[in-house]
Amino acid sequence: MVHPTLETTSETTTTMSSSNAQPTISSQSGHDLVQQQIIVAKTILIQGIDLLDNHLTSDEQLSVHSKHLPGSTIGKHLRHARDHFVLLAECMLSPAPRVLSYDTRIRNTPMETSIDEARKALLETIKQLEEVVPTTNFDEEVTLQAITPYMHSFKTTIGRELWFASLHCVHHWSMVRVIAGEMDIELDDDFGFAPSTLVYQDRDGPLGRGKL
């Protein structure tokens, strides 16, 4: 399986004075910001594809219920993490004023029980992000509707929500890591770790220290 190619940008966006120091954010163009956030989202989704191609060996492993996370399966986490990107992309394609809700979910999809369907769904999402995100103003305001369980509305931006979708995905990869461990499936060292954690720990990798 050939994974999508990750492009790199020539400018760095942060600097570090020491291994444990907080990164200092430097100025960047809007184009660079968009391209970098596309790279981040693709990198995280490709981690999911790598899981399917190089670590899982049967469809059944997608639907094994976790011992420590009741009701959780790897397939459910893959689907749910992908949903946020898809819902955001659909919001980007909708006419203004844009309204976004992550509470709209389609459960029991084929990608939850089939490695081939999961791979297909993740690749389609990457393609959709590559096509839609560059056409969107990252600073454009959208209304986020959420059941908290109260019905609340918040003002946010497209750029902020793309980063949230990526970080949300990492969060679910961490739970995938737990379930995989229960099946004695060993994953890559950086799978399920937030970029800030990898940078703080001075670890290299697609989302780690090497990007600064």
Side-chain angles (χ1 to χ4, degrees), residues 1-2 8 14 16 20 28 38 47 51 71 82 92 94 109 114 130-131 147 149 189 207:
M1 177 68 188
V2 178
T8 58
T14 55
M16 297 281 286
N20 290 327
Q28 57 193 347
I38 292 175
Q47 287 180 327
L51 166 77
R82 170 186 176 269
M92 293 180 190
S94 66
T109 62
S114 166
E130 290 177 323
E131 293 174 348
I147 300 173
D189 289 343
L207 296 173

Side-chain angles (χ1 to χ4, degrees), residues 47-180:
Q47 287 180 327
I49 297 172
D50 180 71
L51 166 77
L52 298 167
D53 288 344
N54 299 314
H55 299 277
L56 301 187
T57 58
S58 70
D59 289 341
E60 288 72 23
Q61 290 172 323
L62 287 171
S63 54
V64 172
H65 283 264
S66 171
K67 300 173 185 176
H68 298 99
L69 303 171
S72 288
T73 68
I74 289 178
K76 288 180 180 179
H77 284 292
L78 290 174
R79 187 268 306 162
H80 176 67
R82 170 186 176 269
D83 279 354
H84 277 47
F85 288 109
V86 173
L87 291 168
L88 178 58
E90 291 175 352
C91 175
M92 293 180 190
L93 291 171
S94 66
R98 293 183 169 90
V99 177
L100 172 64
S101 172
Y102 295 117
D103 297 318
T104 304
R105 300 175 186 175
I106 303 175
R107 304 176 191 273
N108 302 314
T109 62
M111 73 172 292
E112 296 179 37
T113 55
S114 166
I115 288 176
D116 288 341
E117 290 296 327
R119 181 191 303 109
K120 178 182 176 183
L122 293 176
L123 286 170
E124 287 176 349
T125 302
I126 290 172
K127 183 175 183 292
Q128 185 179 32
L129 292 175
E130 290 177 323
E131 293 174 348
V132 174
V133 174
T135 68
T136 306
N137 176 7
F138 258 32
D139 293 326
E140 181 178 344
E141 186 177 273
V142 299
T143 299
L144 175 67
Q145 293 184 343
I147 300 173
T148 68
Y150 304 100
M151 190 63 205
H152 286 161
S153 293
F154 306 94
K155 296 301 181 183
T156 183
T157 64
I158 293 292
R160 188 270 173 199
E161 292 308 313
L162 179 58
W163 167 234
F164 167 73
S166 294
L167 195 59
H168 171 264
C169 193
V170 171
H171 169 70
H172 281 276
W173 279 190
S174 70
M175 287 184 277
V176 167
R177 187 180 193 91
V178 171
I179 303 171

Side-chain angles (χ1 to χ4, degrees), residues 3 46-51 54-55 173 177 180 185-193 198 203 206:
H3 293 162
I46 288 172
Q47 287 180 327
I49 297 172
D50 180 71
L51 166 77
N54 299 314
H55 299 277
W173 279 190
R177 187 180 193 91
I185 299 172
E186 186 174 348
L187 304 183
D188 293 341
D189 289 343
D190 61 343
F191 188 94
F193 285 89
L198 297 174
R203 293 162 61 179

